[in-house]
Structures are given as structure tokens and as C-alpha cells.
Amino acid sequence: MEGDPPLRLRIFDLNCWAIRYLSKRRQERIGLIEDVLRREGFDLVLLQEVWSEQDYSDLKAKLGTCYPFSHYFRSGVIGSGLCVFSKFPILDTFLYQYSLNGYPYMLQHGDWFCGKSVGLLVLAWGGGHSLSAPHPCSHQLHAEYCREKDGYLPHRLVQAWELAQFIRHTSKAADVVLLGGDLNMHPQDVGIRLLRGWTGLRDAFTEATRFEGCENGCTLIPKNRYTVKTELLPFPLGIRIDYILYKAISSFTVKCEELKTTTGTAPGMDIPFSDHEAVMATLCIQRQQQAGDATPNTADLMLVDVVTEARTEVAVGLRAAQRQRYSTGRMAVLALLLLLVLAVAALGTLVGLTAEQPFPKLSFSLLAFVAIGILLLATSLHLFHTMEVKMLQGTEEQMQRALRALQEHP
Amino acid sequence: MEGDPPLRLRIFDLNCWAIRYLSKRRQERIGLIEDVLRREGFDLVLLQEVWSEQDYSDLKAKLGTCYPFSHYFRSGVIGSGLCVFSKFPILDTFLYQYSLNGYPYMLQHGDWFCGKSVGLLVLAWGGGHSLSAPHPCSHQLHAEYCREKDGYLPHRLVQAWELAQFIRHTSKAADVVLLGGDLNMHPQDVGIRLLRGWTGLRDAFTEATRFEGCENGCTLIPKNRYTVKTELLPFPLGIRIDYILYKAISSFTVKCEELKTTTGTAPGMDIPFSDHEAVMATLCIQRQQQAGDATPNTADLMLVDVVTEARTEVAVGLRAAQRQRYSTGRMAVLALLLLLVLAVAALGTLVGLTAEQPFPKLSFSLLAFVAIGILLLATSLHLFHTMEVKMLQGTEEQMQRALRALQEHP
């Protein structure tokens, strides 16, 4: 391919905010997305939050001629919401579900029910080029609901670590790796630095030769009519949480020639595609003789700091999870003791040891039911937090191993 | 390495059956395992069902001098039970938890609580050899509790498929891939044929130049005092469900020189290591000039049959899961209706519409509690079976894609 004209790859990435019955003007917006995808003819389209399989099927049916290959990743109760449309054949897919993803009882946040995942695609493209098997992933990490007191940070860091490890282990034979999606993290956040440092992925926004769109590449902006304005109060320009990241492995180079975002509305319309802005990148891929991704020692030293910072946050999460495991366990034991006392009292009455009932029948059975309810709930939570502790411990250990390796062989 | 003496790799694999308080003479048996590991000095030790982290820590402390590198994989409520001891540095680890693993309400089987997983290790070894980064995995699939009416077959097939996909995607840059563990499948079962066919892994038992041990390489035998004799009645020689599988990628060859199993007791003792027999392999690894793993077309044709068979079984499981999703959903709706009727009756009494209560207070509140209990239980089950349906659908789709690829480009 050296000497060949470079391959230009046009990518479209969007968090679609398409929740049935809940998202405003969903079908109209899906229609707009369909229009732009057909008009622009991208090579690869990465969509998130397409929660309804019906929406995916509709898109697939209508986009079939421009994008003959597509895939919907299934996971969790609601689904992963991830889908991909491609001009290139999809050779293989693989789904990795994060081991931690919020709490099932935080119904108002709902992340747990989505089974958040990273979807791996292996694509092949030809046309005279010998480039093969890149690994674009489309995915989303746990949302941040309160930046000041972010209880989900340890979970998001476990996810960022697992995502980085997944990319490292699955991309060894790939020519080009692409990662697109809503990462729910600001560019300077520890999770993004960890992901980028540990995988060597580069940020299309900072690398782009030409940029056109929202200031600072923001993808959640106050100007968009569907964003929650109060959440963006500390950020008058908005925040950047949707990314296209890439790297070349083996003997290829990738450059981002152009990056664009929408700016609050769909082009030429008065409503936006979604509450997020779409990110569109043009990557230029070329074969070269030498591997060009040698990481300098300074990067390794910075990586030590980033992994240490992430590990500290995971350790904080671990202690919180251990406390919750303990308190839910204690609650379950107390409920069990109460049930035993009630059982003894009931037995006593039955065999006639005590002349009168200790309680009226109604209060007695109410108390028994409440105790059973608490016992079941506390036991479930205890099991859940036990799993959480295990996964946080496992991640902390892996990070420790990574740190040791970085310090021993910088 | 061509012309170099071949590298001999000695591997020990055992399902340890070490459940705290439940497994018989656990500590004594762990002591025996420790003795043999120290005496024999294997290169790599893959242990399963080490459910107690304390047992792992004890082994680690005592084996530290012979096996300086080790790892315990954490997952699920109880833990994955997987641990590894190695003479070679462990560069990296990665855990993949299967998306389906039995049912939480099948408490007597308990598989769901273990968070069954495949653990990936990246090892490096030197000593003049240029061999690097093999991927030994130690893992276990869902147990088979009744061979005649095996309700877990679809789950086990999803696991076998995910395991095969995990190996394919993570081993592309490895020189040698090793997989050791209790696969809970007989050699001719569709899951094993799927795993071997889809990954190209070879079975150490069938490939071994020398074999010493139980007839047919069985690892669950009636002679072992801890096996359940009634389960083995249809198999007088026992069954083979513990495997060491391997393949060479890039320009290496792997041969199994010797395979051994224990034969009902630990060597020279009167009790066995576990209810399973230990499997010990000596692999001979050598560099060669040409890649030697070209798969003939006949293998591809057989693979089409195997994937088709597996897909049919997954489809059967999918229909069962859809039925369960429907019936639990219906149950939840009925419980909700009952609650509504009770609420209307209670409100009616409160506002004085009906002169008398429709039920005595006690029966009324008992009925309400039962309805709430059924509602909660049925909803949880409905959510669980919804996830199950999604994962089975996803696997079926992936298998369909694989079949298409096999048929289009045999």
C-alpha cells in the first residue's frame, strides 16, 4: 500500500438518545439521522443509545443499500443500545460486558439495566488496499450524575480499565484500531487518561488537522435544546464526552484530516439529532515501512502517575463497597434474628407455653412479613456488594501488577 | 529457535473440589496437591474450584519458592475458583465472565453464584528461547446435572461459543495458546466439537505420543472415592471432562509428548487429590519456518455441521427462555392486578363506600403481602429471562454470521 493513495475513512459517531416513550420526538430525530447517513454516505457509523430494536430494524431496512453491513449488540435487560452500520463487510463481532455497572436499586439512573458493554467488530476492506481487520468499537461507560460527589467514579474507572485491557488483548493483530462512543468522561478525567495511556489510542479532536464545530469540540452543549441546562451551568461552553480515538498497529499510520461536530441542531433543521452532538471524523490511513508508535519513556512515567491515581480511586470505591457489604450483611442477620424471635413466640403460643399471644395476630404477621422482606432485600444487596468488592479487588490487583511492570521495565 | 533444543513445558491441571465446609478432607487434600506441585516442579499449574481465597493464599505462601508467579481470578459472589501458579513471569491477566451461567434460583446447583469465567494469562519465558506471550487459560463451564434432560445445554453452548470467540480474538498475536480446565463436556459433545473446531485447538489426550493413566483418559471415574457413583452408572470406565488443549500460532509447532492422569488416588496415598483426576501434560514447543496449521476444507465442512448443531440447541434454549419470560411476565401482571383489586377494596372501606370489610383484616394483609412477594419475584425473574433471551439471540446471530462466512468462503 506504500505509494498507493491513502485510504480515507469517514466515520460518524452519535449517542442517539432514543429511549422509547421517554425521549422527545424520537422518531422524527431517527428520521433525521437516517437522512444524514444516507446523504453523506459514511464508511462506518457508530450509534449508541438506540434502545429500541425496532428503531435499529427500521434504520437497517432503510439504510440497507448505502450500508449493506450492520450489527446490533444485545445485552442486559434493555439492551446495550449499541449498533453499527458499515460499508465494509463485518467479519466478526464480540461483546464484552463490564463487570461493574452501577447498582440495580438505583432505578432512577438505570445504567445497571443496560448491561453496558463494549462491542468489538472486525471489518475487512479491499479495493486494492491490503488493509484488513481493524477493530472499531462502539460503546458507552457509566454516566456521571453528579460531578462534585461522583459515587460511580470507581465503577467508571473499572470500566475504563476493562475497556483498555479489552482493546489491548483483542487488537494485537489488527492494523488499525478505532474506538468511538460516549465515554461519559471529560478529556482531562483520570479514566480518559488511563484509557489513552494504557492503550496508546490518540484523540481525533486533538490530532485533527482541520476542525469545524462546537468550541473545544464539546458534544453536550447548552445550545442544544435537549440538554439539561442546570447540569451544564459550570461549563458555559459545554463538555466533551463523545470521542473518536484511534491508533495504528503494525506498519500503518493513521492521521485525522478533519473532525466535525454538529452545533446544537441537525444541519439545516431546527431540531438536533439528539441531546448529544454528532462527531464526524475523516481518517487517512497509509502503509509505512517502519512501526511509528514507539512510546517515549516520559509517556511511561506519566502513565505510572495515571495508573496510581486510578488505583487510588478504585481503592476508595473498594472501601465503600466493603462498608456496604458489611452493613447489608448485618441488616440480614438482624432480620433473621427478629424472625427467629417471632418463630419462637409463635411456637410458644402454639404449644400453649404462654397463655396469651404476645402480639395481636395482625401486627404479628405484619412484623413477620416485614422481617422476611428485609431479610431477602439485605441478602440480595449483600451478595451484590460481595461481587462488587471482588471486582474492585481484582481491578486494583491488575493495576498494581501494571504499575510494577511499568516501574521495573520503564 | 529453529535448531535450538525444543522447549519442554510441563503442565498440571486439576479441578480441586475445595469448597469450604462442604468438600471432604479439604485441607488434607490441598496439602497433598501442594506436595506434588513442590516435588514435581511443573512449569505451569492450572487449578479450578479453589473457592476459598485462604486456600489460595496458603498455597501461594508455601509454593512461593518453586512457583514465584501466581494469580487468583476474582469474580461472582463466591469467586471464580480459578488460580494459576507459574515458573514464568505473568505479564498480564484478563477475565471474561460468561454472559449466561445458569439461574440464580437454582440454589442447589449454585453455578450462577460462581460467576463462571475464563481467565487469560499472558506469560513470557526466556532462557535463550525467543518464544513469548502464550495465552494459557484456566476455566470451567456450567456443570451438567442430568445428561438425559440437560436443561443447561444452551447455556453451556453459549459459554463454549464465548470461550471460543474469546480465544480467537485474544490469541491472534500469541505464539502458543493453551487451554486447561474442567469443561464439563464429554469429548464427543457438541460444545467441545464447537470449541475445538472454531479455535483449531488440539486435544492433548488424542495427540499424545505416550499416555499413562485412566482408560480413555477419564478424569471422573467410579474408582475415585469422592465421585457420585450413581451419576457414573452409564459410564463404567468413567468420563473425560478435564482437558488440556493447545495450538501454535505464527511459526511454532507444539506436540504433546506425554499425557498422564492420576488413577483414583494421589500417587502413593490412599486418598485422591479431588473428585476429579489430575491431568499432566508435557508439551514440546519448537520454532519452524512455515506455518503448519493450514486447515483443510473437510474440516470447514465438518465445522458447518457443528455450528449448525450448536445453533439448533441454542434456538431450543431461546424458545424455552422466551416461554419463561412470557409466563413470569404474566404472573407479574396477575399479581399487580390482585394488588389493585385489594387497594380498591381497601380504599372503598376507608371512604365508607362499603359498610363492611370484604375480608377479615388478617387475611386481607396476608393476601396483600403474598401478592407483593409474587410481584417482586415474578418481576425479577422476568428481567432475568429477558437478559437470557437477549444473550441467546445474540449468540444465535453470531453463529448464523459464522455459518454464512463458512459457507461463502469455505
Side-chain angles (χ1 to χ4, degrees):
Chain A
M1 201 170 138
E2 205 180 21
D4 285 358
L7 175 72
R8 266 188 186 75
L9 189 68
R10 293 179 63 228
I11 303 158
F12 178 92
D13 171 74
L14 175 65
N15 179 332
C16 297
W17 186 52
I19 314 166
R20 239 172 169 175
Y21 314 118
L22 283 178
S23 301
K24 286 174 195 154
R25 298 169 79 171
R26 189 187 101 248
Q27 283 176 311
E28 192 181 344
R29 292 188 290 104
I30 292 280
L32 288 179
I33 294 169
E34 186 203 310
D35 289 343
V36 77
L37 294 185
R38 210 185 358 224
R39 199 172 55 232
E40 293 281 336
F42 295 97
D43 296 300
L44 187 62
V45 176
L46 308 171
L47 302 181
Q48 300 107 56
E49 292 205 7
V50 181
W51 297 120
S52 148
E53 244 185 275
Q54 192 52 51
D55 284 343
Y56 165 72
S57 303
D58 290 349
L59 280 172
K60 188 180 166 178
K62 286 174 185 159
L63 294 174
T65 45
C66 328
Y67 302 92
F69 306 98
S70 66
H71 188 74
Y72 187 80
F73 287 100
R74 288 188 174 82
S75 75
V77 178
I78 313 174
S80 71
L82 303 177
C83 64
V84 183
F85 294 90
S86 162
K87 282 199 175 165
F88 303 106
I90 297 173
L91 295 180
D92 204 353
T93 63
F94 188 49
L95 189 78
Y96 179 87
Q97 218 167 316
Y98 301 119
S99 61
L100 286 181
N101 186 31
Y103 304 98
Y105 50 83
M106 298 301 267
L107 290 176
Q108 76 277 29
H109 292 165
D111 293 69
W112 188 83
F113 291 91
C114 314
K116 287 197 171 169
S117 315
V118 49
L120 169 74
L121 289 172
V122 182
L123 299 186
W125 65 85
H129 297 296
S130 64
L131 187 64
S132 67
H135 290 67
C137 308
S138 172
H139 89 298
Q140 195 188 19
L141 301 188
H142 198 294
E144 179 185 79
Y145 294 97
C146 170
R147 194 162 175 82
E148 284 65 48
K149 206 182 161 202
D150 181 12
Y152 294 115
L153 180 60
H155 283 211
R156 211 176 310 110
L157 280 176
V158 169
Q159 293 179 346
W161 177 256
E162 287 179 354
L163 173 60
Q165 284 284 76
F166 180 78
I167 292 172
R168 272 167 72 99
H169 285 291
T170 55
S171 68
K172 281 180 180 150
D175 293 319
V176 173
V177 179
L178 290 177
L179 173 71
D182 170 7
L183 297 180
N184 272 322
M185 298 186 284
H186 299 214
Q188 71 284 13
D189 282 0
V190 57
I192 279 281
R193 286 182 284 133
L194 180 71
L195 174 66
R196 290 191 47 201
W198 196 236
T199 56
L201 285 168
R202 280 144 68 190
D203 185 346
F205 173 73
T206 53
E207 305 272 333
T209 314
R210 281 191 306 282
F211 174 74
E212 196 180 302
C214 299
E215 209 170 331
N216 294 344
C218 291
T219 57
L220 217 55
I221 56 171
K223 224 178 98 183
N224 184 308
R225 68 159 79 170
Y226 296 130
T227 51
V228 184
K229 303 298 172 287
T230 46
E231 280 179 8
L232 292 175
L233 272 183
F235 310 100
L237 289 177
I239 56 178
R240 181 158 78 93
I241 60 173
D242 298 82
Y243 297 82
I244 290 177
L245 306 174
Y246 60 84
K247 70 171 173 175
I249 307 193
S250 65
S251 51
F252 285 81
T253 52
V254 188
K255 279 197 183 109
C256 180
E257 285 191 343
E258 190 178 56
L259 193 79
K260 282 185 183 178
T261 70
T262 49
T263 52
T265 53
M269 306 296 291
D270 64 336
I271 70 160
F273 288 133
S274 159
D275 59 346
H276 287 245
E277 302 307 313
V279 184
M280 292 153 281
T282 306
L283 300 184
C284 172
I285 300 168
Q286 196 150 26
R287 189 186 278 281
Q288 63 163 12
Q289 214 51 40
Q290 287 173 315
D293 265 335
T295 325
N297 277 353
T298 48
D300 267 3
L301 288 175
M302 275 167 62
L303 192 52
V304 169
D305 292 343
V306 174
V307 179
T308 308
E309 192 181 337
R311 204 189 137 210
T312 312
E313 291 294 348
V314 170
V316 170
L318 175 60
R319 280 194 295 279
Q322 280 168 331
R323 277 195 301 274
Q324 281 172 305
R325 181 179 62 172
Y326 173 76
S327 58
T328 48
R330 193 182 48 187
M331 179 80 83
V333 170
L334 288 177
L336 192 66
L337 284 178
L338 177 59
L339 268 178
L340 284 177
V341 169
L342 290 175
V344 168
L347 273 176
T349 317
L350 275 178
V351 299
L353 284 180
T354 49
E356 283 189 44
Q357 278 182 219
F359 294 103
K361 262 188 189 167
L362 179 66
S363 326
F364 190 86
S365 36
L366 276 181
L367 199 59
F369 272 108
V370 169
I372 291 173
I374 293 177
L375 178 63
L376 287 179
L377 192 70
T379 308
S380 313
L381 287 179
H382 181 71
L383 293 181
F384 180 82
H385 289 299
T386 304
M387 283 197 265
E388 190 189 7
V389 164
K390 280 211 190 300
M391 297 324 299
L392 287 165
Q393 275 175 336
T395 305
E396 209 204 339
E397 249 180 41
Q398 277 188 44
M399 287 178 172
Q400 203 172 356
R401 189 189 298 278
L403 275 175
R404 237 185 352 250
L406 281 172
Q407 281 157 346
E408 280 171 12
H409 317 284
Chain B
M1 202 172 140
E2 205 179 23
D4 286 357
L7 175 72
R8 267 187 185 76
L9 188 68
R10 294 179 63 229
I11 303 158
F12 179 92
D13 170 75
L14 176 65
N15 178 333
C16 296
W17 186 51
I19 314 167
R20 238 173 170 174
Y21 315 117
L22 285 178
S23 301
K24 286 175 194 156
R25 296 168 79 172
R26 188 186 102 248
Q27 283 178 310
E28 192 181 346
R29 292 188 291 104
I30 291 281
L32 288 178
I33 294 168
E34 185 203 309
D35 289 345
V36 78
L37 294 185
R38 208 182 3 224
R39 199 171 57 233
E40 294 280 338
F42 294 96
D43 296 299
L44 186 62
V45 176
L46 308 171
L47 303 181
Q48 300 106 56
E49 289 204 10
V50 181
W51 297 120
S52 148
E53 244 184 277
Q54 191 53 50
D55 284 344
Y56 165 71
S57 302
D58 290 351
L59 280 171
K60 188 181 168 179
K62 286 172 185 159
L63 295 172
T65 45
C66 327
Y67 303 91
F69 306 97
S70 66
H71 187 75
Y72 187 79
F73 287 100
R74 288 189 175 82
S75 75
V77 179
I78 312 173
S80 71
L82 305 176
C83 64
V84 183
F85 294 90
S86 163
K87 282 198 175 166
F88 302 106
I90 297 173
L91 295 181
D92 204 353
T93 63
F94 188 49
L95 190 77
Y96 178 87
Q97 220 166 315
Y98 301 119
S99 62
L100 286 181
N101 187 30
Y103 304 98
Y105 50 84
M106 297 301 267
L107 290 175
Q108 76 277 27
H109 292 163
D111 294 69
W112 188 85
F113 291 92
C114 315
K116 285 194 173 171
S117 315
V118 47
L120 169 75
L121 288 171
V122 182
L123 299 185
W125 65 85
H129 297 297
S130 64
L131 188 63
S132 67
H135 291 66
C137 308
S138 171
H139 88 297
Q140 196 186 19
L141 301 190
H142 199 292
E144 179 184 79
Y145 293 97
C146 171
R147 195 162 174 82
E148 283 65 47
K149 207 183 160 201
D150 182 11
Y152 294 115
L153 180 60
H155 283 211
R156 211 177 310 108
L157 279 176
V158 169
Q159 293 180 345
W161 176 257
E162 287 180 353
L163 174 59
Q165 285 284 74
F166 180 77
I167 291 172
R168 274 167 71 100
H169 285 291
T170 56
S171 68
K172 281 180 180 149
D175 292 320
V176 173
V177 179
L178 290 176
L179 173 72
D182 169 7
L183 298 181
N184 273 322
M185 296 186 284
H186 299 214
Q188 70 283 12
D189 282 0
V190 56
I192 279 281
R193 285 182 284 132
L194 180 71
L195 174 66
R196 289 190 48 201
W198 195 237
T199 56
L201 285 167
R202 281 144 68 190
D203 184 347
F205 173 72
T206 53
E207 304 273 332
T209 315
R210 281 191 306 281
F211 174 75
E212 196 180 300
C214 299
E215 208 169 330
N216 294 346
C218 291
T219 57
L220 216 56
I221 57 171
K223 226 177 99 183
N224 183 310
R225 67 158 80 170
Y226 296 129
T227 52
V228 184
K229 303 299 171 285
T230 46
E231 282 180 8
L232 292 175
L233 273 183
F235 311 99
L237 290 177
I239 56 178
R240 181 159 78 94
I241 59 172
D242 298 82
Y243 297 81
I244 290 176
L245 306 174
Y246 59 83
K247 70 170 171 174
I249 308 193
S250 66
S251 51
F252 285 81
T253 53
V254 188
K255 279 197 183 110
C256 180
E257 285 192 341
E258 190 179 56
L259 193 80
K260 281 184 183 180
T261 70
T262 50
T263 52
T265 54
M269 307 296 293
D270 64 337
I271 70 160
F273 288 132
S274 160
D275 58 347
H276 286 244
E277 302 307 313
V279 184
M280 292 154 283
T282 306
L283 301 185
C284 173
I285 301 169
Q286 198 151 26
R287 188 186 278 282
Q288 63 164 10
Q289 215 53 38
Q290 287 174 314
D293 264 336
T295 325
N297 277 354
T298 47
D300 266 3
L301 288 175
M302 275 168 61
L303 193 52
V304 169
D305 292 343
V306 174
V307 178
T308 308
E309 192 180 337
R311 205 188 136 211
T312 311
E313 291 293 349
V314 170
V316 170
L318 175 60
R319 280 194 294 278
Q322 280 167 333
R323 277 195 301 274
Q324 281 172 306
R325 181 180 60 172
Y326 173 75
S327 58
T328 48
R330 192 182 48 185
M331 179 81 81
V333 169
L334 289 177
L336 193 65
L337 284 178
L338 177 59
L339 268 178
L340 284 177
V341 169
L342 290 175
V344 168
L347 273 176
T349 317
L350 275 179
V351 299
L353 284 180
T354 48
E356 282 188 45
Q357 280 182 216
F359 295 103
K361 260 188 190 168
L362 180 65
S363 324
F364 191 85
S365 36
L366 275 181
L367 199 59
F369 272 108
V370 169
I372 291 172
I374 292 176
L375 178 64
L376 288 178
L377 192 70
T379 308
S380 314
L381 288 179
H382 181 70
L383 292 181
F384 180 82
H385 288 299
T386 304
M387 283 198 265
E388 190 189 9
V389 164
K390 280 210 187 298
M391 298 323 299
L392 287 165
Q393 275 175 336
T395 305
E396 210 204 338
E397 248 180 40
Q398 278 187 44
M399 287 177 171
Q400 204 172 353
R401 189 189 297 278
L403 275 175
R404 235 183 355 248
L406 281 172
Q407 281 156 345
E408 280 171 12
H409 318 282

